[in-house]
């Protein structure tokens, strides 16, 4: 197997970029982005329990421009991963695996996750003037 | 070695050696995370401006603390299952792959335990 001379299967670069490929890749990328956030989530729970400067500095961090951008990014990651995850539940049930249907549902996932992100942030700002 | 492929490999576990286990665990934790993650984000966003006291008073309620523990458990379990697939896809070499997987499993378990202990501490008023 080590030095097989059999032809290798073509990899990504050979294919024209399809929407379904992009959606699939984004599912993994958004998941990994949220994994980075898990370290901060864990620290948030610890800071909440211990109090003191830790929680105050976390609040400052999340309130800063960089923190807000990161939170906005994670919101999108969550909605995208969530919507596409639900799309995958249908695939698992054998529903919507045809190419045309998968393309339509993939487009729907992209639009829905973008819209939900904007709506969530609008709601947060209107309710209390900042999240 | 017989002439036939061992039927256990074909029918039971396949190339991953754990059969349907990983797939099922990933879906099960995903189903839990659909409501739990939405609940977490909406609640925390609504309370974020009110300071630590309000957040603690909310989490200290037993049912809220219970949901947080459930959320943390499902979240870190789901996350390490996902990272496992990425590692299996992109880390070449058996030793490096297994070593990375062990690190991923241990770190995610540790973070989950720390987070749950923090919730318990808030819930018990420590």
């Amino acid at each position: 197997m080590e030095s097989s001379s059999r032809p290798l299967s073509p990899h990504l670069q050979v294919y024209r970029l399809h929407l379904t490929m992009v959606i699939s890749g984004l599912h993994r990328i958004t998941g990994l982005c949220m994994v980075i956030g898990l370290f901060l989530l864990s620290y948030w729970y610890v800071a909440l329990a211990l109090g003191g400067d830790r929680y105050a500095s976390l609040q400052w961090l999340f309130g800063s421009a960089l923190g807000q951008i990161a939170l906005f990014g994670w919101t999108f990651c969550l909605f995208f991963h969530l919507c596409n995850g639900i799309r995958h539940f249908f695939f698992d049930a054998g529903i919507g695996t045809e190419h045309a249907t998968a393309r339509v549902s993939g487009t729907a996932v992209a639009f829905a996750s973008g819209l939900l992100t904007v709506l969530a942030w609008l709601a947060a700002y209107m309710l209390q003037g900042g999240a | 070695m017989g002439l036939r492929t061992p039927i256990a490999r074909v029918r039971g576990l396949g190339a991953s050696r754990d059969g349907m286990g990983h797939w099922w665990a990933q879906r099960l934790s995903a189903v839990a995370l659909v409501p739990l993650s939405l609940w977490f984000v909406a609640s925390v966003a609504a309370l974020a401006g009110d300071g630590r006291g309000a957040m603690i008073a909310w989490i200290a309620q037993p049912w809220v603390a219970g949901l947080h523990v459930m959320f943390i458990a499902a979240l870190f379990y789901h996350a390490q299952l996902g990272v496992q697939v990425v590692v299996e896809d992109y880390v070449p070499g058996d030793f490096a792959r297994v070593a990375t997987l062990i690190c991923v499993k241990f770190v995610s378990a540790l973070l989950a335990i720390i987070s749950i202990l923090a919730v318990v501490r808030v819930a018990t008023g420590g």
Side-chain angles (χ1 to χ4, degrees):
Chain A
M1 285 296 280
E2 290 281 318
S3 55
S4 170
S5 56
R6 290 187 299 174
L8 298 167
S9 73
H11 197 50
L12 286 176
Q13 68 272 14
V14 191
Y15 300 105
R16 185 168 64 82
L17 206 61
H18 288 273
L19 177 100
T20 41
M21 288 163 62
V22 177
I23 297 288
S24 176
L26 272 176
H27 192 74
R28 192 167 267 201
I29 291 166
T30 51
L32 286 177
C33 285
M34 285 192 285
V35 164
I36 298 168
L38 287 185
F39 290 89
L40 210 52
L41 178 77
S42 220
Y43 185 71
W44 179 79
Y45 276 117
V46 171
L48 196 63
L50 297 182
D53 293 340
R54 292 183 190 85
Y55 194 76
S57 50
L58 259 190
Q59 272 198 313
W60 174 84
L61 182 71
F62 285 133
S64 69
L66 194 69
Q68 292 278 294
I69 291 170
L71 283 177
F72 188 86
W74 276 319
T75 314
F76 174 75
C77 287
L78 173 69
F79 279 127
F80 185 92
H81 206 83
L82 188 87
C83 291
N84 201 44
I86 290 168
R87 177 167 169 258
H88 268 278
F89 287 146
F90 284 96
F91 289 162
D92 293 337
I95 300 166
T97 53
E98 305 82 12
H99 195 109
T101 320
R103 207 163 46 217
V104 169
S105 62
T107 313
V109 162
F111 277 109
S113 47
L115 190 68
L116 285 169
T117 308
V118 173
L119 284 180
W121 277 74
L122 277 179
Y125 270 104
M126 286 202 287
L127 280 177
Q128 59 173 39
Chain B
M1 288 282 282
L3 288 172
R4 296 173 63 188
T5 313
I7 200 73
R9 270 183 56 207
V10 177
R11 200 178 273 163
L13 303 174
S16 68
R17 300 188 203 94
D18 74 348
M20 288 268 289
H22 186 282
W23 182 89
W24 175 246
Q26 198 167 44
R27 306 305 137 136
L28 193 66
S29 49
V31 168
L33 284 170
V34 171
L36 284 173
S37 60
L38 288 174
W39 162 81
F40 175 86
V41 170
S43 311
V44 171
L47 279 171
D50 300 343
R52 178 170 171 260
M55 199 69 83
I56 282 184
W58 172 61
I59 293 181
Q61 296 163 284
W63 55 88
V64 178
L67 283 174
H68 273 280
V69 172
M70 180 97 177
F71 170 64
I72 292 164
L75 181 63
F76 281 90
Y77 188 57
H78 187 81
Q80 59 90 19
L81 286 173
V83 174
Q84 180 188 339
V85 179
V86 177
V87 169
E88 285 168 350
D89 278 358
Y90 297 123
V91 178
D94 284 343
F95 181 80
R97 186 166 55 245
V98 172
T100 312
L101 283 179
I102 290 171
C103 287
V104 167
K105 304 265 169 183
F106 283 179
V107 168
S108 60
L110 183 66
L111 287 179
I113 291 167
I114 290 171
S115 307
I116 288 171
L117 284 177
V119 170
V120 170
R121 179 160 172 162
V122 170
T124 53

